[in-house]
Amino acid sequence: MTVLNPHRTKTHTPKTRLGTRRSEPRHRLELPPVADPLAPRLHVPPREGERVAPWNRRYLRRMVALDALSGLVAALSAAVLKFQFDLKFGYDLMTLAFPLLWVLALSLGGAYERRNLGQPGGEEYRGVGRGSVLMLALLAIIALTLSAQLSRIFVGTGILLAAIGSLLVRKTLRTWVARRRRQGLMAQRVVVVGRVDAAAGVIRSIKDDIDQGLVPVAVCASGLDGPWSQAPSIEGVPMAGEPGDAVAVVDLMEAEAVIVASHPDLSGHALRRLAWALDERQVDLLVSPGLLDVAGPRMSIRPSTNLALLHIERPASTRRAVLLKTAMDRVAAVLLLLGLSPVFFVVAVAIWLDDRGPVFYRQRRVGVRGEFFDMYKFRSMRQGADKMLADLIARNEGNEVLFKMKNDPRITRVGAFLRRYSIDELPQLLNVLRGEMSLVGPRPPLAREVEEYEPDAIRRLHAVPGMTGLWQVSGRSDLSWDESLRLDLRYVDNWSPMLDLWILVRTVRAVLGRSGAY
């Protein structure tokens, strides 16, 4: 086996399987002389235990134990519901076996895959769904094998309660892990490999998303202006060599994963050899394809004879998906307008009493495919506020495109309250009912804003604008234009009903928290 440790120079003659020594010398791969500069320049952060992160094992043990407990509670509850503490023969054994079968079904459904433990996304939750289906299959096989009839109430209630319990278990454990990661704990140590610009982008992304549970400890980069030893760090992470030194650096830093940023010299056979070397060390290999803001469900592997292709699905903009979203929006708009009619009445009276002016404010906005429409809001500014904008442009506290002021003198007393809780946006439900807007979507821009758009920003107009969206739940007025644009483009490219539901839930939290509202 090739030895790739820069600190060991002592050689030895290995034995064959029969215990005899080889007659010929063993070939040894000599690395570039990086040991001397690495030792004084790199600080190896302390860590506990072996290379496989011990928190993974604790997390998995807790999850399995709590899943078994959920299965036991679910089986007991189902038995009580069906038999009122008078179990029939056979159901007592089934109740005791239910937790073990539930854990087995979850394992077969991939709910305990190590790569998904504590990671953002819904894969852990989807594992519970697959496990529920497999649990039903296991119980059916048992009933068929024993020629027994299981109560549908017992089976249905048991699986449903067990699934709910396991979902709550994962939510609780992930909250615990996220809290620990914000404290700098329970993170996977990674070495980033690639060209310097791509490696820097990966490091920035890692640092911006703490919940991923990754902490870069070293960089092996190429494309530098001079020798790597003259570059102290990249984005605050110490340089440790070139891409060819990756395995040696993994050994030195006791890393648990390697991230390969798109690099022409690390593909094909070179990447496969790197994967082999890391597999011997039980180190994960992650490859960044260089795709920005593409959600996981849109990516899949299309295998061929000797090549794996990454297939990127088109955004969910088919006619059926658009019709479904439109139907959901209009039904929800009708229900909300009926339910909020008392609020509309109170707000209208308050606005009129404040300055005897009009209740609604109508503004020309740009909708899907560049079509104009009139957007409605409760008036929160003094009459003639648009004419005062030119005098306030110099005091803009927003971003490069959107005008915002925390203490805008045009806002009325009632308007300040309406804006604080986003009540002024409620009349846009009329736009949703008319099909001009959606509950969730990119922000509807003004015509003068569209005139300043760069080519990439035009893609925002491919989706129906919404009352709320990703940028509203991620900082609202506190975001820069580039951040707002990136979030809107991410929504356009990755729309799904579940994403809409997630944004609506986050919107309620953002409104109640009043973050970035002015």
Side-chain angles (χ1 to χ4, degrees), residues 455-468:
D456 287 350
I458 296 296
R459 186 165 176 79
R460 295 176 77 250
L461 304 180
H462 284 214
V464 179
M467 294 180 61
T468 185

Side-chain angles (χ1 to χ4, degrees), residues 3-251:
V3 179
L4 296 176
N5 193 327
H7 290 291
R8 295 183 181 177
T9 56
K10 183 178 177 180
T11 60
H12 65 281
T13 306
K15 295 181 180 181
T16 64
R17 289 187 178 181
L18 298 178
T20 57
R21 295 183 180 275
R22 295 181 180 178
S23 58
E24 70 277 9
R26 184 181 182 184
H27 293 287
R28 185 184 183 88
L29 176 63
E30 295 295 337
L31 292 173
V34 297
D36 290 339
L38 277 178
R41 293 180 72 246
L42 284 182
H43 168 66
V44 181
R47 56 163 296 141
E48 299 177 359
E50 59 276 29
R51 172 164 286 157
V52 177
W55 77 265
N56 267 343
R57 296 180 178 178
R58 296 198 306 270
Y59 186 95
L60 183 57
R61 285 196 297 265
R62 292 181 183 184
M63 180 180 290
V64 171
L66 292 173
D67 281 339
L69 180 60
S70 299
L72 179 60
V73 172
L76 290 173
S77 301
V80 170
L81 179 64
K82 175 63 178 175
F83 302 107
Q84 291 79 38
F85 299 99
D86 184 18
L87 286 180
K88 291 184 178 181
F89 177 75
Y91 279 96
D92 49 355
L93 296 178
M94 180 58 66
T95 301
L96 294 177
F98 196 96
L100 299 178
L101 294 174
W102 177 240
V103 171
L104 175 61
L106 290 176
S107 179
L108 294 175
Y112 301 130
E113 290 287 341
R114 187 169 68 90
R115 67 176 181 271
N116 299 325
L117 297 181
Q119 297 302 319
E123 193 56 37
E124 276 187 311
Y125 301 125
R126 284 190 283 270
V128 175
R130 293 191 293 267
S132 301
V133 176
L134 289 172
M135 182 65 173
L136 183 61
L138 285 175
L139 293 178
I141 292 173
I142 292 174
L144 183 62
T145 302
L146 300 178
S147 299
Q149 288 186 349
L150 291 177
S151 167
R152 286 176 291 182
I153 294 179
F154 177 83
V155 172
T157 304
I159 294 178
L160 176 61
L161 293 179
I164 294 175
S166 291
L167 290 174
L168 292 176
V169 164
R170 280 150 182 77
K171 176 62 177 177
T172 303
L173 289 177
R174 288 175 65 162
T175 302
W176 169 65
V177 169
R179 184 167 59 250
R180 300 279 287 175
R181 284 174 175 170
R182 293 187 183 96
Q183 298 171 355
L185 305 172
M186 302 181 75
Q188 195 176 25
R189 300 153 61 88
V190 299
V191 173
V192 180
V193 181
R195 289 188 60 84
V196 60
D197 51 350
V202 168
I203 293 172
R204 285 193 296 269
S205 298
I206 292 174
K207 291 184 175 181
D208 290 341
D209 192 357
I210 302 176
D211 292 338
Q212 287 286 344
L214 302 174
V215 54
V217 295
V219 185
C220 296
S222 63
L224 299 166
D225 294 334
W228 68 265
S229 57
Q230 296 180 4
S233 64
I234 296 178
E235 298 291 332
V237 180
M239 280 287 299
E242 298 179 347
D245 307 322
V247 178
V249 175
V250 166
D251 288 336

Side-chain angles (χ1 to χ4, degrees), residues 44 54 69 85 155 158 211 253 303 375 386 407 449 475 480 482 502:
V44 181
L69 180 60
F85 299 99
V155 172
D211 292 338
M253 303 301 291
M375 187 184 75
D386 291 339
N407 297 305
E449 296 169 359
S480 68
D482 287 340
W502 179 81

Side-chain angles (χ1 to χ4, degrees), residues 435-447:
E436 298 163 337
M437 292 182 63
S438 173
L439 291 179
V440 182
R443 172 188 171 274
L446 296 167

Side-chain angles (χ1 to χ4, degrees), residues 372-415:
F372 289 97
F373 70 97
D374 291 329
M375 187 184 75
Y376 296 98
K377 299 177 68 174
F378 281 124
R379 184 172 60 86
S380 60
M381 291 186 176
R382 290 188 291 174
Q383 301 180 58
D386 291 339
K387 299 177 182 179
M388 303 170 58
L389 179 61
D391 299 330
L392 300 173
I393 287 293
R395 299 165 59 184
N396 181 22
E397 299 177 34
N399 52 50
E400 307 90 297
V401 178
L402 308 179
F403 177 84
K404 293 285 184 179
M405 283 185 65
K406 290 185 178 179
N407 297 305
D408 196 323
R410 301 174 297 168
I411 298 177
T412 63
R413 292 175 300 172
V414 173

Side-chain angles (χ1 to χ4, degrees), residues 246-379:
V247 178
V249 175
V250 166
D251 288 336
L252 177 65
M253 303 301 291
E254 298 181 352
E256 298 154 4
V258 171
I259 298 180
V260 176
S262 51
H263 191 283
D265 296 333
L266 282 176
S267 60
H269 295 296
L271 187 60
R272 182 169 61 172
R273 286 192 291 270
L274 175 61
W276 288 341
L278 297 179
D279 179 59
E280 293 178 355
R281 292 161 172 77
Q282 296 184 3
V283 175
D284 294 334
L285 175 62
L286 310 175
V287 179
S288 171
L291 297 170
L292 298 177
D293 293 328
V294 178
R298 289 184 56 206
M299 293 188 290
S300 59
I301 300 297
R302 177 180 292 182
S304 62
T305 304
N306 57 1
L307 181 66
L309 302 176
L310 184 63
H311 181 75
I312 308 299
E313 297 285 350
R314 296 177 58 199
S317 57
T318 62
R319 181 175 179 82
R320 183 176 59 182
V322 171
L323 290 176
L324 175 63
K325 181 177 175 67
T326 302
M328 293 170 56
D329 284 336
R330 294 191 176 182
V331 170
V334 170
L335 296 177
L336 289 172
L337 285 170
L338 293 175
L340 295 174
S341 54
V343 176
F344 274 63
F345 177 76
V346 172
V347 172
V349 172
I351 293 174
W352 185 82
L353 291 177
D354 190 34
D355 63 359
R356 298 299 194 274
V359 171
F360 294 103
Y361 172 72
R362 187 173 63 182
Q363 190 176 46
R364 200 76 163 167
R365 295 292 181 112
V366 181
V368 63
R369 296 182 298 276
E371 298 176 358
F372 289 97
F373 70 97
D374 291 329
M375 187 184 75
Y376 296 98
K377 299 177 68 174
F378 281 124
R379 184 172 60 86

